[in-house]
Every structure is written in C-alpha cells, then in structure tokens.
Amino acid sequence: MSSKTFTRAEVAKHNTEDSLWFVVDSKVYDVTDFVDAHPGGESVLRQVAGRDATVDFYNLHRHEVLAKYADLCVGTVEGEKPQVITPRPGDLSTVPYAEPLWLTPAYKSPYYNDSHRRMQKAMRVFTDTYVTPEAQARELDGKYISQELVDRMSKVGLLHMRLGPGKHLHGVELMDGAVRGEEFDYFHDLITAQEGVRANARGFQDGALAGMVIGLPCVMHYMKDERRRKAIMDEVLGGKKYMCLAITEAFAGSDVAGLRTTATKTADGKHYVVNGTKKWITNGVFCDYFVTGVRTDKGLSVLLIERGEGVETKAIKTSYSPAAGTAYITFDNVKVPAENLLGEENKGIYVILSNFNHERWTMACATIRQCRTVVEECLKWSHQRLVFGKRLIEQPVIRQKLAKMIALVEANQSWLETITYQMCHMPYKQQAQHLGGPIGLLKMSATRAAHEVADEAVQIFGGRGITQSGMGRVVEMFHRTYKFDAILGGAEEVLADLGVRQAMRQMPNAKL
Ligand code: HEM
C-alpha cells in the first residue's frame, strides 16, 4: 500500500470524469481506470466520487475484495487508521462464536494442552497460506488437487495425521516439528479436521484425498504381507499414488450387505477375478488404488485393486464441485492377486466396519466447524448489512435465528469434545463397542444442525445466499453441499437407528 496521505478535502476534488477517487475505511482509492471493469457498473462508483464510501462498500462487498484490488489504493487519509480487521494467515477470529470456546480468550478447557495449541496454530497457517487459495481456485475450475499441494501436505505429515493417532505417526515430524508423531492424539486429530475445512470448499475438501483417509486404514490394518503393506503405505502417504474406498454401488449404499460386485477365485487360487460396478466413489476418477468391497463365495470380502486392464472410471456430476473426482467405476474381468485380500475372505464386513467410527467422527468434526463458519458469516453480515434504514442485526427475528444457530454449534462441539475425550482413553476395540452408537448419533446431530444452520443462513443472506460469488458465497456453498455429510459415511436415518439399537443392547430390565 502506498504510504502517501491525503486530506479529505483533497480526495473530494477527485470527483470528475477524469479522476474518480473515494475513501473506504480510511484508505484512498483511485478507480478512474477501473470504472469500466467494475462488476457493479460505473454509475454506482460515480455516485460516491470524492466521498467516504465505507458504508456503501461494506453493504455490498466482502472485505477480501479490497485485498484483490489492492493496487487501486493510492494512500490513506491523513491522521486516520483503517478500522476494519484484515486477518493475516494464522489469525484467530475475534467475532463471538467464530472460534470454539477453547480458542476464545477468557475461556478454559480441560481437553487441550500446549501441543494441541501448537498444532492448531500450524494448521491454521498452513490452511490459510496453501490450502484455501488452491481450494477456491479448484472449486471454480473443477480441476483436481495439484501435485504441488499433495507433496506439501505429505511433507508436513498431514496425510499421515488424517489417518488418526497410531504407530504410522511414530518418528514422523508433524507440521515442521510443531508436534511429534508420538504425542498425536484424537484432539490433534479433531484440530486437523476442523482447521482443514476452513478452506470453505466442500468439493475440494473431498478432492484433497478424502478417499485415502478412508481407504488406507484398511491396508494399514489388514494387509498381511508386511513388505507390500509398507511399500503401499509409503507410496500413498508420500503422495506418489492415490487411493480411494470403493464400497457403495448403484444397488447398495448404506446397505453394505447388498453389494453385488463379485470376486471369483481362479482354479489355481492365485487370483480373484472381479466383475461389477461402484458408484459415488470419492476421488475414484484420479485414483491408482481402489480398496473395494466384493462378494466372494460365502460373504463379503475387501480387495485392493490396482488401476489396470478392466478398470474404468468416469466422473459423476454431483451438486458439489468436480474437484472431488467422484466416480462411477466398472470392473470387467479384473485379475487381482490373491495376496491383495485385506483381512479374511468372507469376513470383509469387519474390515469395512472397523473404519466407520473414525470416518463418521471426522465428518462430525468437519460439519460442526463448517456450521461455525456459517455462524461467523451470518454475524458479520447482519452486523454490516443496512436494510430498512437499519442494520440487519437490529431486527429481533434475525437475532432469534442467530441464537438458534449458535446454540446448535456450541452444543455439538461440546458433545464432540466429550466423545473425543473417551476416544483418547479407550482402546480401539472398546471404542467400537461403546462409541459406535454415540458417534453415529453425533454425526446425525451435526448434520441435522447443518440443515437448520444452512436454512436460516440463506434466509439471513437472502438472494446472496443462493449466489455463488460475492457476499453470500460461503453460505451458498454450505447450503448446496451440507447434504453430502448427511448421506456419506452412513445416512442420518441409518446412524440414528444404529445409535438407538446399540443403546438397546445395554438396556436393563428397567420399568416405569
Ligand atoms: C475499491 C473499490 C471497489 C472495488 C474493488 C469493487 C469491486 C467489486 C467487485 C469485485 C464486485 C463483484 C461482487 C463481489 O465480488 O463482491 C462488485 C460489485 C458491486 N459493486 Fe463494487 N467495488 C468497489 C467499490 C464500490 C462502491 C464504492 C460501490 C457503491 C457505492 C460499489 C457498488 C457495487 C455494486 C452495486 C455491486 C454489485 C453488487 C451485487 O451484485 O450484489 N462498488 N464490486
């Protein structure tokens, strides 16, 4: 920004055909050569020529517009300083409820220590600096994640971290040394998930190797040949090869037992021959490995299938961006080595189920954080938007909506943290027994809340809430995409039922 200063009287002189200046938040803008390019047209700019246009500007634009057009700024008003906060990469928001309570000054939490705080800071800087700019660009052009970002994520251990705590992290320096792999627990995991989704790009979010997050654990826990397992883990965590989980079919979604893709053993027992289809496979379009649910002679099995002869993928157009690489897959007589069987033959259901809790919990982390971002957007918008002669926030009906949204977000975050604490203190096997139901209910609660939050947010933003650019772009994206989390990883209704059925297994002979 230029260091020049001007008096308001000097700015006022630039209100002619040949020179058009105005002030926004103490900064002086010369838009003489910009009027033809201004998306809002020329006339509106002429109306504020020579004047302070701060109120008009923020009634119509996001603050980030000023950063994008920073070269229009020719200086500041003498003796004045900009009042509007310009966040730097890594900054916490000071808007009420924009951050979870543990990151809000004056609040305490029993769950987070210094190591968690270091992780949060490092993740925020990384997301703001590298992920958000690419995520926003990919949402627009629909291309897949760049190898450059994958390499960067791999280098700081982000791909490793997304599998959750465990031995695969031991000896790994995370986020350039912010945290040691050995100290990584489920609260670090929660932070990783919640910070990552601040890029506000739901399609890209899945495109950023979500398939690996749910596919690779099956290899990590169930591939028998240790040498091969290590080689594949290194390739995938090194960002050299991409992996996805291919379970759902046109025939069966949440009803995993209804899968129809078959795997038949060859007479010599050395191979399986796979035939069938898969649908809605996240990242499938650009993956090298497919962790695939198949029907073998006496039940379900899981095979690691490499892209090759007989494997075809084509993109499915969904309501989020093509950056996710969502695929329809066909397997036609695909020959798969028998050692690519993950877990036991006909017992694949255990392989599939073993992963579900962590996947669902991660989705709850993400959804709750996205709801919070939408709350922040709504608080800012209702605070700056002038309508019917006053700020939107002065309408009681708007405050009612905000209160409901805030309460939903805070309640879900608290429940999430309580469950996360149990995850930190329960062996994995016990988690499956005691936490499968609560995690299912938590995910259901998070996506039901998302439904309410998305709906109210669009009402608050009006037409902008259904417009993909400008003020309401975050709300529009959320409203268009929150359903992915209500369906993927187990539909709301299936998880609600699971939660209650699991509780009923513990039901004593208690009477009213
Ligand atoms: C440095 C100054 C300005 C820049 C760089 C700028 C840039 C933009 C951009 C990029 C848009 C597209 C929408 C968006 O992305 O948010 C836009 C829309 C618009 N601008 Fe500006 N603008 C400036 C100042 C102003 C001022 C002072 C006014 C009015 C007094 C104005 C009136 C409008 C209007 C009416 C729209 C259309 C809004 C809508 O579609 O909802 N702009 N401007």
Side-chain angles (χ1 to χ4, degrees):
M1 188 177 74
S2 166
S3 57
K4 280 192 190 158
T5 57
F6 305 93
T7 62
R8 285 191 174 258
E10 278 172 315
V11 176
K13 286 184 205 153
H14 294 270
N15 67 346
T16 64
E17 193 67 29
D18 298 332
S19 187
L20 201 172
W21 290 17
F22 50 70
V23 174
V24 176
D25 189 28
S26 305
K27 292 185 187 162
V28 180
Y29 291 88
D30 176 355
V31 295
T32 317
D33 297 330
F34 174 63
V35 285
D36 289 340
H38 179 228
E42 179 175 341
S43 63
V44 286
L45 298 186
R46 296 231 170 264
Q47 284 163 13
V48 292
R51 294 191 356 223
D52 192 310
T54 308
V55 173
D56 294 303
F57 181 86
Y58 285 109
N59 206 19
L60 299 161
H61 310 74
R62 296 178 72 88
H63 185 58
E64 70 212 22
V65 169
L66 292 178
K68 192 171 165 200
Y69 293 92
D71 53 345
L72 298 174
C73 180
V74 289
T76 46
V77 176
E78 203 175 85
E80 294 184 16
K81 279 207 173 103
Q83 301 296 310
V84 179
I85 296 168
T86 302
R88 289 157 310 170
D91 277 358
L92 293 175
S93 172
T94 49
V95 172
Y97 301 107
E99 303 288 356
L101 288 183
W102 74 277
L103 289 175
T104 309
Y107 289 85
K108 306 274 177 288
S109 166
Y111 300 129
Y112 301 89
N113 58 32
D114 284 350
S115 167
H116 298 123
R117 288 180 190 278
R118 289 196 303 276
M119 173 61 78
Q120 185 280 326
K121 178 82 187 155
M123 271 300 296
R124 175 94 31 128
V125 172
F126 187 87
T127 305
D128 290 350
T129 312
Y130 302 114
V131 184
T132 304
E134 169 148 347
Q136 293 302 323
R138 296 295 80 81
E139 286 291 281
L140 288 179
D141 64 22
K143 291 187 183 154
Y144 310 133
I145 188 167
S146 69
Q147 188 60 43
E148 193 189 343
L149 183 58
V150 172
D151 291 344
R152 214 182 269 281
M153 294 198 302
S154 168
K155 188 171 162 284
V156 295
L158 192 39
L159 301 184
H160 303 67
M161 293 193 302
R162 288 168 68 198
L163 302 188
K167 286 207 179 92
H168 63 286
L169 287 176
H170 292 189
V172 184
E173 286 274 285
L174 303 174
M175 304 308 290
D176 292 324
V179 172
R180 283 182 310 109
E182 287 76 0
E183 51 183 317
F184 189 93
D185 64 17
Y186 285 109
F187 278 102
H188 295 95
D189 201 359
L190 180 158
I191 292 165
T192 310
Q194 294 208 318
E195 290 295 324
V197 300
R198 288 179 61 268
N200 289 324
R202 188 64 189 82
F204 176 84
Q205 183 185 313
D206 274 356
L209 311 190
M212 179 276 300
V213 179
I214 50 181
L216 194 56
C218 301
V219 174
M220 180 163 78
H221 297 300
Y222 294 100
M223 178 160 259
K224 292 187 194 90
D225 180 341
E226 203 175 322
R227 204 179 46 81
R228 195 158 150 63
R229 180 177 69 220
K230 188 177 173 327
I232 293 172
M233 295 277 298
D234 287 350
E235 275 179 335
V236 175
L237 292 177
K240 306 282 177 272
K241 290 267 177 97
Y242 299 151
M243 180 177 280
C244 64
L245 183 69
I247 305 291
T248 51
E249 300 181 355
F251 301 102
S254 296
D255 171 21
V256 173
L259 298 182
R260 291 201 195 171
T261 296
T262 56
T264 317
K265 265 249 175 87
T266 51
D268 60 7
K270 288 188 179 156
H271 290 90
Y272 290 95
V273 177
V274 178
N275 280 291
T277 61
K278 295 285 165 185
K279 191 167 182 178
W280 303 294
I281 305 308
T282 305
N283 304 170
V285 172
F286 56 82
C287 270
D288 306 288
Y289 290 122
F290 305 82
V291 172
T292 311
V294 293
R295 181 155 292 290
T296 34
D297 57 349
K298 292 195 191 83
L300 285 181
S301 301
V302 178
L303 289 180
L304 177 70
I305 302 180
E306 241 179 291
R307 191 183 280 276
E309 211 184 318
V311 180
E312 286 209 12
T313 54
K314 65 176 183 207
I316 300 176
K317 214 170 174 186
T318 62
S319 47
Y320 66 19
S321 80
T326 313
Y328 187 81
I329 308 176
T330 51
F331 298 110
D332 288 319
N333 289 320
V334 180
K335 238 175 146 184
V336 181
E339 56 268 26
N340 280 19
L341 175 73
L342 303 178
E344 300 303 317
E345 195 174 73
N346 300 318
K347 291 190 178 155
I349 194 72
Y350 297 107
V351 180
I352 296 170
L353 291 181
S354 72
N355 213 14
F356 267 156
N357 284 343
H358 187 250
E359 177 187 3
R360 290 169 182 161
W361 171 85
T362 312
M363 290 173 79
C365 295
T367 302
I368 295 165
R369 177 64 230 198
Q370 282 164 337
C371 288
R372 186 180 293 286
T373 300
V374 170
V375 166
E376 179 178 13
E377 293 278 309
C378 290
L379 282 166
K380 282 182 178 162
W381 174 241
S382 15
H383 192 252
Q384 78 193 68
R385 176 65 170 171
L386 293 170
V387 69
F388 300 119
K390 50 185 169 184
R391 285 183 303 154
L392 207 48
I393 195 81
E394 287 169 53
Q395 307 285 357
V397 67
I398 298 293
R399 296 199 295 271
Q400 290 297 316
K401 288 180 189 302
L402 288 167
K404 178 170 107 181
M405 294 159 76
I406 292 167
L408 285 168
V409 171
E410 293 302 342
N412 277 322
Q413 177 78 18
S414 291
W415 194 14
L416 171 68
E417 290 174 352
T418 308
I419 287 183
T420 306
Y421 184 76
Q422 310 313 317
M423 288 164 70
C424 289
H425 291 87
M426 251 185 220
Y428 199 78
K429 274 223 165 102
Q430 268 186 41
Q431 286 183 34
Q433 191 192 346
H434 297 294
L435 295 180
I439 289 174
L441 293 179
L442 172 70
K443 177 172 170 294
M444 178 214 71
S445 172
T447 56
R448 274 291 87 196
H451 177 76
E452 293 295 323
V453 168
D455 185 54
E456 297 293 16
V458 170
Q459 292 308 115
I460 292 174
F461 271 78
R464 288 172 175 82
I466 48 172
T467 304
Q468 294 200 350
S469 60
M471 304 298 299
R473 67 172 176 80
V474 174
V475 166
E476 187 281 336
M477 186 280 300
F478 185 69
H479 184 255
R480 177 164 40 84
T481 59
Y482 76 90
K483 273 290 172 195
F484 281 83
D485 297 283
I487 294 166
L488 274 55
E492 257 170 26
E493 294 74 7
V494 172
L495 297 188
D497 187 52
L498 171 83
V500 177
R501 274 190 297 116
Q502 199 181 77
M504 283 307 102
R505 270 192 240 132
Q506 325 278 337
M507 189 70 183
N509 188 6
K511 303 283 180 259
L512 282 177

